[in-house]
Amino acid sequence: MAKIKGIQIVKPEQLQIIEMEKPQIDEKNNVLVKMKAAGICGSDVGIYHGTNAAATYPRVIGHEMVGEVVETGPGATKVKVGDRVIIDQVTACGHCYACRIGRPNVCQHLAVRGVHIDGGFREYIAVPDKDCYLLPDNLRYEDAVLIEPTTIAIQACSRAQIKEDDEVLIMGMGALGSRMLSIAKLSGAKIIVADIVDEKLEEALAAGAHHAINLLKENIDEKIKEYTTDAYGPTLSIDCACTKDSLGTLIRIAGNASRVITMGFSVTPTEVTNFGITSKELDIRGSRLQNRKFQEAIDLVKAGKVDLDHKISHTFHFLDAQKAFDFNETRDPSIRKIVLTFDD
Ligand code: MN
Ligand code: ZN
């Protein structure tokens, strides 16, 4: 059996380069993809540190998977050898309540590549053809990785039922927050962003946000009153910071009858009161992964409505994954998105 290399989190805080069997295509996983680029996501960092409540170990992580089709089996009609693709990370049972109502991203038996089953930080992966999506022609492999976080943003805006007359607060302007801004602004809504890094706020303003709040230098309660009509508060709040305190803050400043979207995976208790939710009749909605949003994201890129060109900040060869994770740990202000590459 041919062997390939992969990046495995053996247990929390232990990252290892492993040799594993090269995947073989079969009736179900009928497409073999040679990995070209894979993004490091906040959730990968969480699995590394043991703070992702969903993950199981040992695990080959990575769910932002871009590559080239190198082999197909019978029944593979969606892609052919040579196609450049991104792979959907969600696998679902197809039978449970969530699957039956069309929400496989929260399947009772959900198996996410890179979280519950082995993912994309390895040289080859075998997947069903239906999970492969063709990349836009002129998008580099490294940049195409950002299609995945874009799908996450599309999912959150879909869960939020964002509309043109919303006044939206996006908390956190990291890789996910900036993707959220790029999708949320397509609705025509007013958008306020908050973060602790001035450079990220400036980039957000340049990218179409209407107001920016530096959480270290400004009082968010006051600024939200100033920036929303009649000091009403956001009609939609999206938590892309996902810290212990961000949900409580969003509930406190949310406008009456508004929606609050959570996306975090922390299990650290946070103080939320009945009154905080009931008195304003808030809709608190979780948004997890994405529900078949890849084609929508790719179509937005093709139409020029979402720009993914040269938005990543750093690349490392995948065998230097430890270096990449260590560098991410420095919280260097230049970090936007770190991508692993697989060139020979
Ligand atoms: Mn991701
Ligand atoms: Zn299911």
Side-chain angles (χ1 to χ4, degrees):
M1 272 294 197
K3 298 277 186 189
I4 61 165
K5 289 195 168 72
I7 305 301
Q8 186 188 68
I9 305 300
V10 183
K11 59 181 201 282
E13 308 298 348
Q14 192 186 336
L15 182 153
Q16 196 168 289
I17 298 171
I18 60 159
E19 289 224 313
M20 57 195 298
E21 272 178 22
K22 185 177 179 181
Q24 307 285 314
I25 55 172
D26 56 28
E27 216 161 279
K28 179 168 170 254
N29 295 308
N30 56 8
V31 173
L32 187 67
V33 176
K34 185 176 196 296
M35 211 63 66
K36 292 288 186 179
I40 297 180
C41 179
S43 66
D44 294 309
V45 176
I47 297 171
Y48 177 43
H49 289 312
T51 57
N52 182 320
T56 52
Y57 300 86
R59 182 63 53 230
V60 173
I61 55 172
H63 60 268
E64 302 176 356
M65 305 168 275
V66 169
E68 182 187 341
V69 174
V70 291
E71 195 184 345
T72 60
T77 53
K78 196 174 169 189
V79 295
K80 59 182 192 309
V81 171
D83 281 346
R84 295 162 10 105
V85 296
I86 187 163
I87 300 165
D88 193 327
Q89 76 276 53
V90 172
T91 73
C93 79
H95 306 295
C96 72
Y97 172 75
C99 284
R100 288 200 310 273
I101 64 167
R103 291 168 66 176
N105 55 310
V106 286
C107 168
Q108 182 184 9
H109 307 288
L110 180 69
V112 178
R113 297 189 173 97
V115 182
H116 312 92
I117 56 176
D118 283 345
F121 289 0
R122 53 173 154 157
E123 293 170 285
Y124 291 89
I125 190 169
V127 296
D129 65 328
K130 67 175 173 48
D131 290 346
C132 296
Y133 291 84
L134 294 178
L135 299 181
D137 282 339
N138 297 315
L139 196 62
R140 300 184 309 163
Y141 281 122
E142 303 95 287
D143 292 329
V145 158
L146 286 175
I147 291 170
E148 193 274 347
T150 303
T151 67
I152 306 302
I154 292 171
Q155 176 72 13
C157 288
S158 155
R159 291 280 294 143
Q161 297 174 289
I162 192 169
K163 291 183 190 71
E164 189 177 1
D165 63 354
D166 273 318
E167 299 194 14
V168 182
L169 171 61
I170 303 175
M171 177 80 98
M173 270 298 123
L176 177 58
S178 62
R179 292 297 87 226
M180 197 67 67
L181 170 60
S182 76
I183 296 300
K185 75 176 184 189
L186 298 176
S187 67
K190 182 202 277 186
I191 298 174
I192 304 159
V193 297
D195 199 280
I196 57 174
V197 178
D198 276 331
E199 288 79 5
K200 292 182 182 177
L201 294 172
E202 282 156 21
E203 284 170 19
L205 290 169
H210 299 87
H211 302 282
I213 302 170
N214 185 315
L215 297 163
L216 293 180
K217 299 177 182 169
E218 296 174 302
N219 180 307
I220 189 168
D221 296 66
E222 286 169 14
K223 284 290 158 186
I224 279 296
K225 287 189 181 124
E226 182 183 329
Y227 294 148
T228 55
T229 305
D230 299 326
Y232 189 85
T235 61
L236 167 59
S237 307
I238 305 178
D239 187 2
C240 296
C242 311
T243 65
K244 177 179 168 308
D245 297 319
S246 49
L247 176 61
T249 301
L250 292 181
I251 289 174
R252 186 179 74 240
I253 62 181
N256 291 7
S258 72
R259 291 94 74 211
V260 176
I261 305 297
T262 73
M263 307 184 73
F265 272 83
S266 167
V267 289
T268 308
T270 183
E271 225 161 70
V272 170
T273 65
N274 278 267
F275 185 77
I277 298 169
T278 311
S279 62
K280 302 182 197 174
E281 211 171 56
L282 296 180
D283 284 352
I284 314 255
R285 295 181 194 164
S287 182
R288 181 171 191 185
L289 299 162
Q290 50 76 38
N291 186 359
R292 302 182 187 124
K293 301 297 188 192
F294 277 89
Q295 197 57 53
E296 192 173 338
I298 288 164
D299 289 344
L300 286 171
V301 173
K302 283 185 178 169
K305 291 182 176 168
V306 166
D307 177 16
L308 301 183
D309 266 337
H310 295 84
K311 298 261 187 287
I312 63 165
S313 56
H314 301 83
T315 58
F316 288 81
H317 191 266
F318 86 108
L319 294 177
D320 291 326
Q322 183 70 60
K323 272 187 208 160
F325 277 79
D326 291 346
F327 174 66
N328 185 59
E329 225 57 27
T330 65
R331 299 192 182 279
D332 189 287
S334 68
I335 296 174
R336 296 296 179 274
K337 185 74 181 179
I338 302 175
V339 170
L340 301 180
T341 58
F342 294 75
D343 296 329
D344 305 317

Short mmCIF file of all heavy atoms in Angstrom, two decimals, residues 9-64:
data_model
loop_
_atom_site.label_atom_id
_atom_site.label_comp_id
_atom_site.label_asym_id
_atom_site.label_seq_id
_atom_site.Cartn_x
_atom_site.Cartn_y
_atom_site.Cartn_z
N ILE A 9 -3.59 15.66 14.86
CA ILE A 9 -3.58 16.05 16.26
C ILE A 9 -3.82 14.76 17.04
O ILE A 9 -4.92 14.20 17.01
CB ILE A 9 -4.67 17.10 16.58
CG1 ILE A 9 -4.52 18.32 15.64
CG2 ILE A 9 -4.57 17.54 18.05
CD1 ILE A 9 -3.20 19.05 15.73
N VAL A 10 -2.77 14.27 17.68
CA VAL A 10 -2.84 12.99 18.38
C VAL A 10 -3.76 13.12 19.58
O VAL A 10 -4.64 12.29 19.81
CB VAL A 10 -1.42 12.55 18.83
CG1 VAL A 10 -1.48 11.19 19.50
CG2 VAL A 10 -0.46 12.56 17.65
N LYS A 11 -3.52 14.18 20.33
CA LYS A 11 -4.38 14.58 21.45
C LYS A 11 -4.13 16.06 21.65
O LYS A 11 -3.21 16.61 21.03
CB LYS A 11 -4.04 13.76 22.69
CG LYS A 11 -2.60 13.86 23.20
CD LYS A 11 -2.43 12.97 24.42
CE LYS A 11 -1.24 13.35 25.29
NZ LYS A 11 0.05 12.90 24.80
N PRO A 12 -4.94 16.74 22.46
CA PRO A 12 -4.74 18.18 22.59
C PRO A 12 -3.28 18.55 22.86
O PRO A 12 -2.60 17.88 23.65
CB PRO A 12 -5.64 18.55 23.77
CG PRO A 12 -6.77 17.58 23.65
CD PRO A 12 -6.13 16.29 23.19
N GLU A 13 -2.80 19.58 22.15
CA GLU A 13 -1.44 20.12 22.26
C GLU A 13 -0.38 19.23 21.63
O GLU A 13 0.80 19.50 21.78
CB GLU A 13 -1.05 20.42 23.72
CG GLU A 13 -2.02 21.29 24.50
CD GLU A 13 -2.19 22.70 23.94
OE1 GLU A 13 -1.40 23.11 23.07
OE2 GLU A 13 -3.13 23.40 24.38
N GLN A 14 -0.78 18.17 20.93
CA GLN A 14 0.24 17.31 20.30
C GLN A 14 -0.04 17.14 18.81
O GLN A 14 -0.96 16.41 18.41
CB GLN A 14 0.30 15.95 20.99
CG GLN A 14 1.53 15.15 20.54
CD GLN A 14 1.54 13.74 21.10
OE1 GLN A 14 0.92 13.47 22.13
NE2 GLN A 14 2.23 12.84 20.42
N LEU A 15 0.78 17.86 18.01
CA LEU A 15 0.64 17.81 16.55
C LEU A 15 1.76 16.95 15.98
O LEU A 15 2.90 17.07 16.39
CB LEU A 15 0.73 19.25 16.01
CG LEU A 15 0.57 19.50 14.51
CD1 LEU A 15 0.03 20.91 14.28
CD2 LEU A 15 1.87 19.32 13.75
N GLN A 16 1.40 16.08 15.05
CA GLN A 16 2.40 15.13 14.55
C GLN A 16 2.24 14.93 13.05
O GLN A 16 1.12 14.91 12.55
CB GLN A 16 2.17 13.81 15.27
CG GLN A 16 3.31 12.83 15.19
CD GLN A 16 3.08 11.70 16.18
OE1 GLN A 16 3.18 11.88 17.41
NE2 GLN A 16 2.73 10.54 15.66
N ILE A 17 3.37 14.80 12.37
CA ILE A 17 3.33 14.39 10.96
C ILE A 17 3.25 12.87 10.95
O ILE A 17 4.11 12.21 11.54
CB ILE A 17 4.58 14.85 10.20
CG1 ILE A 17 4.66 16.38 10.20
CG2 ILE A 17 4.56 14.31 8.77
CD1 ILE A 17 5.97 16.93 9.67
N ILE A 18 2.21 12.33 10.33
CA ILE A 18 2.07 10.87 10.32
C ILE A 18 2.13 10.34 8.89
O ILE A 18 1.91 11.06 7.92
CB ILE A 18 0.73 10.41 10.95
CG1 ILE A 18 -0.47 10.99 10.19
CG2 ILE A 18 0.67 10.79 12.43
CD1 ILE A 18 -1.75 10.21 10.42
N GLU A 19 2.45 9.05 8.79
CA GLU A 19 2.31 8.33 7.52
C GLU A 19 1.00 7.56 7.60
O GLU A 19 0.69 6.94 8.62
CB GLU A 19 3.46 7.35 7.35
CG GLU A 19 4.79 8.02 7.08
CD GLU A 19 5.56 7.32 5.97
OE1 GLU A 19 5.64 6.09 6.01
OE2 GLU A 19 6.04 8.01 5.06
N MET A 20 0.22 7.64 6.55
CA MET A 20 -1.05 6.91 6.52
C MET A 20 -1.24 6.29 5.14
O MET A 20 -0.56 6.67 4.19
CB MET A 20 -2.21 7.85 6.87
CG MET A 20 -2.33 9.08 5.98
SD MET A 20 -3.41 10.38 6.64
CE MET A 20 -4.99 9.56 6.72
N GLU A 21 -2.14 5.34 5.07
CA GLU A 21 -2.39 4.71 3.78
C GLU A 21 -2.98 5.71 2.80
O GLU A 21 -3.83 6.52 3.16
CB GLU A 21 -3.37 3.54 3.95
CG GLU A 21 -2.67 2.26 4.27
CD GLU A 21 -3.62 1.10 4.49
OE1 GLU A 21 -4.77 1.17 3.98
OE2 GLU A 21 -3.23 0.15 5.17
N LYS A 22 -2.50 5.64 1.57
CA LYS A 22 -3.09 6.50 0.53
C LYS A 22 -4.53 6.08 0.32
O LYS A 22 -4.81 4.90 0.11
CB LYS A 22 -2.28 6.36 -0.76
CG LYS A 22 -2.75 7.31 -1.85
CD LYS A 22 -1.89 7.20 -3.10
CE LYS A 22 -2.39 8.15 -4.18
NZ LYS A 22 -1.60 8.05 -5.40
N PRO A 23 -5.47 7.02 0.37
CA PRO A 23 -6.88 6.64 0.20
C PRO A 23 -7.14 6.04 -1.19
O PRO A 23 -6.51 6.45 -2.16
CB PRO A 23 -7.65 7.96 0.36
CG PRO A 23 -6.67 8.97 0.81
CD PRO A 23 -5.29 8.45 0.56
N GLN A 24 -8.04 5.07 -1.23
CA GLN A 24 -8.44 4.45 -2.48
C GLN A 24 -9.87 4.87 -2.79
O GLN A 24 -10.69 4.96 -1.88
CB GLN A 24 -8.41 2.92 -2.35
CG GLN A 24 -7.10 2.35 -1.84
CD GLN A 24 -6.03 2.36 -2.91
OE1 GLN A 24 -6.30 1.97 -4.06
NE2 GLN A 24 -4.84 2.81 -2.57
N ILE A 25 -10.17 5.09 -4.07
CA ILE A 25 -11.56 5.40 -4.39
C ILE A 25 -12.39 4.12 -4.34
O ILE A 25 -11.88 3.03 -4.58
CB ILE A 25 -11.70 6.11 -5.76
CG1 ILE A 25 -11.05 5.31 -6.87
CG2 ILE A 25 -11.14 7.51 -5.68
CD1 ILE A 25 -11.33 5.88 -8.24
N ASP A 26 -13.65 4.27 -4.01
CA ASP A 26 -14.59 3.15 -4.03
C ASP A 26 -15.94 3.67 -4.50
O ASP A 26 -16.04 4.80 -5.01
CB ASP A 26 -14.67 2.46 -2.65
CG ASP A 26 -15.06 3.44 -1.55
OD1 ASP A 26 -15.76 4.45 -1.83
OD2 ASP A 26 -14.67 3.21 -0.38
N GLU A 27 -16.97 2.88 -4.33
CA GLU A 27 -18.28 3.25 -4.85
C GLU A 27 -18.80 4.55 -4.23
O GLU A 27 -19.40 5.37 -4.91
CB GLU A 27 -19.26 2.12 -4.58
CG GLU A 27 -20.28 1.93 -5.69
CD GLU A 27 -20.91 0.55 -5.59
OE1 GLU A 27 -20.30 -0.43 -6.06
OE2 GLU A 27 -22.01 0.49 -5.04
N LYS A 28 -18.56 4.73 -2.94
CA LYS A 28 -19.07 5.91 -2.24
C LYS A 28 -18.12 7.09 -2.42
O LYS A 28 -18.52 8.16 -2.89
CB LYS A 28 -19.24 5.59 -0.75
CG LYS A 28 -19.73 6.74 0.07
CD LYS A 28 -20.16 6.29 1.48
CE LYS A 28 -20.43 7.47 2.37
NZ LYS A 28 -19.36 7.66 3.38
N ASN A 29 -16.86 6.90 -2.02
CA ASN A 29 -15.86 7.96 -2.18
C ASN A 29 -15.20 7.76 -3.54
O ASN A 29 -14.13 7.18 -3.65
CB ASN A 29 -14.86 7.91 -1.03
CG ASN A 29 -15.51 8.22 0.30
OD1 ASN A 29 -16.17 9.24 0.46
ND2 ASN A 29 -15.36 7.33 1.26
N ASN A 30 -15.87 8.28 -4.57
CA ASN A 30 -15.50 7.91 -5.94
C ASN A 30 -14.59 8.93 -6.64
O ASN A 30 -14.41 8.86 -7.85
CB ASN A 30 -16.77 7.63 -6.77
CG ASN A 30 -17.72 8.81 -6.76
OD1 ASN A 30 -17.38 9.89 -6.26
ND2 ASN A 30 -18.89 8.63 -7.33
N VAL A 31 -14.05 9.85 -5.88
CA VAL A 31 -13.14 10.84 -6.45
C VAL A 31 -11.90 10.95 -5.56
O VAL A 31 -12.02 11.10 -4.34
CB VAL A 31 -13.82 12.23 -6.55
CG1 VAL A 31 -12.82 13.30 -6.99
CG2 VAL A 31 -15.00 12.19 -7.52
N LEU A 32 -10.71 10.86 -6.17
CA LEU A 32 -9.47 11.06 -5.43
C LEU A 32 -8.95 12.46 -5.74
O LEU A 32 -8.77 12.82 -6.90
CB LEU A 32 -8.43 10.00 -5.80
CG LEU A 32 -7.15 10.04 -4.95
CD1 LEU A 32 -7.44 9.65 -3.50
CD2 LEU A 32 -6.06 9.13 -5.54
N VAL A 33 -8.74 13.24 -4.68
CA VAL A 33 -8.28 14.62 -4.83
C VAL A 33 -6.87 14.73 -4.26
O VAL A 33 -6.61 14.28 -3.14
CB VAL A 33 -9.23 15.60 -4.11
CG1 VAL A 33 -8.69 17.03 -4.18
CG2 VAL A 33 -10.64 15.52 -4.70
N LYS A 34 -5.97 15.31 -5.05
CA LYS A 34 -4.62 15.63 -4.57
C LYS A 34 -4.67 17.03 -3.97
O LYS A 34 -5.02 17.99 -4.67
CB LYS A 34 -3.63 15.59 -5.74
CG LYS A 34 -2.18 15.79 -5.34
CD LYS A 34 -1.28 15.63 -6.59
CE LYS A 34 0.18 15.42 -6.21
NZ LYS A 34 0.79 16.56 -5.52
N MET A 35 -4.38 17.14 -2.68
CA MET A 35 -4.52 18.43 -2.00
C MET A 35 -3.54 19.44 -2.56
O MET A 35 -2.39 19.10 -2.84
CB MET A 35 -4.29 18.22 -0.50
CG MET A 35 -5.07 19.16 0.37
SD MET A 35 -6.85 18.95 0.19
CE MET A 35 -7.06 17.31 0.86
N LYS A 36 -4.01 20.66 -2.73
CA LYS A 36 -3.15 21.74 -3.20
C LYS A 36 -3.01 22.84 -2.16
O LYS A 36 -1.97 23.47 -2.03
CB LYS A 36 -3.72 22.33 -4.50
CG LYS A 36 -3.66 21.39 -5.68
CD LYS A 36 -2.23 21.23 -6.18
CE LYS A 36 -2.18 20.41 -7.46
NZ LYS A 36 -0.79 20.28 -7.95
N ALA A 37 -4.07 23.10 -1.42
CA ALA A 37 -4.03 24.14 -0.37
C ALA A 37 -5.10 23.82 0.65
O ALA A 37 -6.14 23.25 0.32
CB ALA A 37 -4.27 25.52 -0.99
N ALA A 38 -4.81 24.16 1.91
CA ALA A 38 -5.79 23.94 2.97
C ALA A 38 -5.63 25.03 4.02
O ALA A 38 -4.51 25.31 4.46
CB ALA A 38 -5.60 22.55 3.60
N GLY A 39 -6.73 25.65 4.38
CA GLY A 39 -6.68 26.77 5.31
C GLY A 39 -6.66 26.31 6.76
O GLY A 39 -7.22 25.27 7.10
N ILE A 40 -5.98 27.09 7.60
CA ILE A 40 -6.06 26.87 9.04
C ILE A 40 -7.17 27.77 9.58
O ILE A 40 -7.15 28.99 9.40
CB ILE A 40 -4.72 27.20 9.74
CG1 ILE A 40 -3.62 26.26 9.24
CG2 ILE A 40 -4.88 27.09 11.26
CD1 ILE A 40 -2.26 26.50 9.88
N CYS A 41 -8.16 27.11 10.21
CA CYS A 41 -9.35 27.80 10.70
C CYS A 41 -9.26 27.90 12.22
O CYS A 41 -8.56 27.11 12.86
CB CYS A 41 -10.58 26.98 10.30
SG CYS A 41 -12.14 27.66 10.83
N GLY A 42 -10.00 28.84 12.80
CA GLY A 42 -10.07 28.92 14.25
C GLY A 42 -10.46 27.59 14.88
O GLY A 42 -9.97 27.23 15.96
N SER A 43 -11.31 26.84 14.20
CA SER A 43 -11.74 25.56 14.77
C SER A 43 -10.61 24.53 14.75
O SER A 43 -10.53 23.67 15.63
CB SER A 43 -12.98 25.03 14.04
OG SER A 43 -12.67 24.71 12.72
N ASP A 44 -9.69 24.60 13.76
CA ASP A 44 -8.51 23.73 13.77
C ASP A 44 -7.64 24.05 14.98
O ASP A 44 -7.12 23.15 15.65
CB ASP A 44 -7.68 23.92 12.49
CG ASP A 44 -8.42 23.47 11.24
OD1 ASP A 44 -8.91 22.33 11.23
OD2 ASP A 44 -8.50 24.25 10.28
N VAL A 45 -7.48 25.34 15.24
CA VAL A 45 -6.69 25.78 16.39
C VAL A 45 -7.35 25.28 17.68
O VAL A 45 -6.68 24.82 18.60
CB VAL A 45 -6.56 27.33 16.40
CG1 VAL A 45 -5.83 27.79 17.65
CG2 VAL A 45 -5.82 27.79 15.14
N GLY A 46 -8.69 25.31 17.72
CA GLY A 46 -9.43 24.81 18.87
C GLY A 46 -9.22 23.31 19.07
O GLY A 46 -9.07 22.83 20.20
N ILE A 47 -9.18 22.54 17.97
CA ILE A 47 -8.94 21.09 18.08
C ILE A 47 -7.52 20.85 18.60
O ILE A 47 -7.29 20.00 19.45
CB ILE A 47 -9.16 20.39 16.72
CG1 ILE A 47 -10.62 20.53 16.28
CG2 ILE A 47 -8.78 18.91 16.82
CD1 ILE A 47 -10.90 20.07 14.86
N TYR A 48 -6.57 21.65 18.10
CA TYR A 48 -5.18 21.53 18.55
C TYR A 48 -5.08 21.76 20.06
O TYR A 48 -4.38 21.04 20.77
CB TYR A 48 -4.33 22.54 17.77
CG TYR A 48 -2.88 22.59 18.17
CD1 TYR A 48 -2.14 21.44 18.41
CD2 TYR A 48 -2.23 23.82 18.28
CE1 TYR A 48 -0.80 21.51 18.76
CE2 TYR A 48 -0.89 23.90 18.63
CZ TYR A 48 -0.18 22.74 18.88
OH TYR A 48 1.14 22.82 19.24
N HIS A 49 -5.81 22.74 20.55
CA HIS A 49 -5.71 23.08 21.98
C HIS A 49 -6.72 22.34 22.86
O HIS A 49 -6.75 22.55 24.07
CB HIS A 49 -5.89 24.59 22.17
CG HIS A 49 -4.73 25.39 21.67
ND1 HIS A 49 -3.44 25.08 21.99
CD2 HIS A 49 -4.66 26.48 20.86
CE1 HIS A 49 -2.62 25.95 21.41
NE2 HIS A 49 -3.35 26.80 20.71
N GLY A 50 -7.56 21.53 22.25
CA GLY A 50 -8.52 20.78 23.05
C GLY A 50 -9.72 21.60 23.50
O GLY A 50 -10.41 21.24 24.45
N THR A 51 -10.00 22.70 22.80
CA THR A 51 -11.12 23.56 23.19
C THR A 51 -12.28 23.49 22.21
O THR A 51 -13.20 24.30 22.28
CB THR A 51 -10.67 25.04 23.32
OG1 THR A 51 -10.10 25.45 22.07
CG2 THR A 51 -9.64 25.19 24.42
N ASN A 52 -12.22 22.56 21.27
CA ASN A 52 -13.34 22.38 20.33
C ASN A 52 -14.17 21.20 20.83
O ASN A 52 -13.74 20.04 20.76
CB ASN A 52 -12.80 22.12 18.92
CG ASN A 52 -13.91 21.98 17.89
OD1 ASN A 52 -14.95 21.37 18.16
ND2 ASN A 52 -13.71 22.55 16.73
N ALA A 53 -15.35 21.51 21.33
CA ALA A 53 -16.17 20.50 22.00
C ALA A 53 -16.62 19.39 21.05
O ALA A 53 -16.99 18.31 21.49
CB ALA A 53 -17.39 21.17 22.64
N ALA A 54 -16.60 19.65 19.74
CA ALA A 54 -17.10 18.66 18.78
C ALA A 54 -16.05 17.62 18.40
O ALA A 54 -16.39 16.52 17.97
CB ALA A 54 -17.59 19.38 17.52
N ALA A 55 -14.77 17.92 18.56
CA ALA A 55 -13.71 17.10 17.97
C ALA A 55 -13.48 15.80 18.71
O ALA A 55 -13.71 15.69 19.91
CB ALA A 55 -12.41 17.91 17.93
N THR A 56 -13.00 14.78 17.96
CA THR A 56 -12.56 13.53 18.54
C THR A 56 -11.12 13.28 18.09
O THR A 56 -10.70 13.75 17.03
CB THR A 56 -13.46 12.36 18.11
OG1 THR A 56 -13.56 12.35 16.67
CG2 THR A 56 -14.85 12.48 18.70
N TYR A 57 -10.36 12.54 18.89
CA TYR A 57 -8.92 12.34 18.67
C TYR A 57 -8.60 10.84 18.55
O TYR A 57 -9.32 10.03 19.13
CB TYR A 57 -8.13 12.94 19.85
CG TYR A 57 -8.37 14.41 20.05
CD1 TYR A 57 -9.44 14.87 20.81
CD2 TYR A 57 -7.52 15.35 19.47
CE1 TYR A 57 -9.66 16.23 20.99
CE2 TYR A 57 -7.74 16.73 19.66
CZ TYR A 57 -8.81 17.15 20.42
OH TYR A 57 -9.02 18.48 20.60
N PRO A 58 -7.50 10.49 17.91
CA PRO A 58 -6.62 11.37 17.11
C PRO A 58 -7.30 11.78 15.81
O PRO A 58 -8.16 11.04 15.32
CB PRO A 58 -5.40 10.48 16.84
CG PRO A 58 -5.95 9.08 16.86
CD PRO A 58 -7.07 9.08 17.86
N ARG A 59 -6.91 12.92 15.28
CA ARG A 59 -7.61 13.42 14.10
C ARG A 59 -6.65 14.10 13.12
O ARG A 59 -5.85 14.96 13.54
CB ARG A 59 -8.67 14.46 14.56
CG ARG A 59 -9.51 15.05 13.45
CD ARG A 59 -10.37 14.02 12.74
NE ARG A 59 -11.16 13.25 13.67
CZ ARG A 59 -11.21 11.90 13.65
NH1 ARG A 59 -10.54 11.22 12.74
NH2 ARG A 59 -11.93 11.25 14.54
N VAL A 60 -6.75 13.75 11.83
CA VAL A 60 -6.14 14.55 10.77
C VAL A 60 -7.09 15.72 10.54
O VAL A 60 -8.24 15.52 10.14
CB VAL A 60 -5.96 13.73 9.47
CG1 VAL A 60 -5.49 14.63 8.33
CG2 VAL A 60 -4.97 12.59 9.70
N ILE A 61 -6.63 16.91 10.90
CA ILE A 61 -7.52 18.07 10.88
C ILE A 61 -7.54 18.71 9.49
O ILE A 61 -6.91 18.22 8.55
CB ILE A 61 -7.15 19.09 11.97
CG1 ILE A 61 -5.68 19.50 11.84
CG2 ILE A 61 -7.43 18.49 13.35
CD1 ILE A 61 -5.29 20.64 12.76
N GLY A 62 -8.24 19.85 9.37
CA GLY A 62 -8.31 20.58 8.12
C GLY A 62 -9.63 20.34 7.41
O GLY A 62 -9.94 19.21 7.03
N HIS A 63 -10.43 21.38 7.24
CA HIS A 63 -11.71 21.23 6.54
C HIS A 63 -11.87 22.27 5.43
O HIS A 63 -12.91 22.34 4.79
CB HIS A 63 -12.87 21.39 7.55
CG HIS A 63 -12.87 22.72 8.20
ND1 HIS A 63 -12.23 22.97 9.38
CD2 HIS A 63 -13.38 23.90 7.80
CE1 HIS A 63 -12.36 24.24 9.70
NE2 HIS A 63 -13.04 24.84 8.75
N GLU A 64 -10.83 23.08 5.22
CA GLU A 64 -10.87 24.04 4.11
C GLU A 64 -9.95 23.46 3.05
O GLU A 64 -8.76 23.72 3.03
CB GLU A 64 -10.41 25.42 4.61
CG GLU A 64 -11.30 25.90 5.75
CD GLU A 64 -10.87 27.23 6.38
OE1 GLU A 64 -9.82 27.77 6.00
OE2 GLU A 64 -11.60 27.71 7.25
#
